[in-house]
Amino acid sequence: MDKLLGERLKKARLRTKLMQKEAAEQIGISNVTLSHYEKGDRNPDPDTLAKLANLYKVSVDWLLGRSADQFSQFQSEDELSILDLERVIEMIEEGNAHFGGRDLTEEDSKFLANMIRLAIERKAKQDKS
């Protein structure tokens, strides 16, 4: 079975802040079935895979490991901008951030990721006011 698919399904679900049971209910499968998908014990059929991709707002190609671009074209501009920043944070934390052709230090990476998070939180508070 496909471990990468399972890992990406779980990663996408966690990013959307859904519990397995909630995600499973929303697409009409049992949480046990979703658990098998996330462990890589079973693979979803194409219809279920498409439902999961839509629910998590990621591309099927990314779930299957065919693309590095995980975000689908179905998102609104606001969702995409926040997801873009989350993707930037993820890249920074994975050590994939560079400046002037040089890798950032671990300390600088953490600082930069935290600054982006603070900016997102500040914007969210402003929007609520």
Side-chain angles (χ1 to χ4, degrees):
M1 294 298 130
D2 193 341
K3 294 292 183 191
L4 177 63
L5 173 60
E7 290 169 8
R8 289 189 171 187
L9 284 169
K10 183 174 183 177
K11 184 177 185 176
R13 179 179 55 78
L14 293 174
R15 180 173 285 130
T16 60
K17 297 181 171 79
L18 289 171
M19 301 296 291
Q20 272 186 349
K21 185 176 181 178
E22 296 169 316
E25 286 175 358
Q26 289 190 36
I27 63 161
I29 62 173
S30 73
N31 63 311
V32 172
T33 299
L34 183 54
S35 176
H36 284 297
Y37 296 158
E38 289 184 2
K39 290 178 187 174
D41 296 337
R42 283 197 241 158
N43 288 333
D45 62 74
D47 184 53
T48 302
L49 185 62
K51 287 178 183 178
L52 287 163
N54 287 335
L55 177 64
Y56 299 151
K57 298 182 180 174
V58 296
S59 71
V60 171
D61 282 342
W62 179 76
L63 286 173
L64 294 173
R66 296 178 185 166
S67 169
D69 183 17
Q70 61 188 297
F71 304 112
S72 71
Q73 68 275 16
F74 302 111
Q75 297 157 333
S76 72
E77 203 168 298
D78 290 339
E79 288 174 319
L80 188 56
S81 65
I82 289 183
L83 290 172
D84 281 346
L85 287 176
E86 288 174 352
R87 185 173 179 199
V88 168
I89 291 169
E90 184 178 303
M91 290 174 63
I92 291 168
E93 290 178 336
E94 291 174 352
N96 295 324
H98 312 280
F99 182 76
R102 297 186 318 213
D103 292 341
L104 293 177
T105 65
E106 186 176 336
E107 181 181 343
D108 288 341
S109 294
K110 287 179 182 177
F111 177 79
L112 184 56
N114 286 332
M115 290 287 94
I116 295 170
R117 281 190 188 96
L118 287 172
I120 292 169
E121 289 172 15
R122 183 176 175 195
K123 175 70 172 138
K125 287 179 184 176
Q126 288 175 346
D127 290 346
K128 287 183 180 180
S129 301

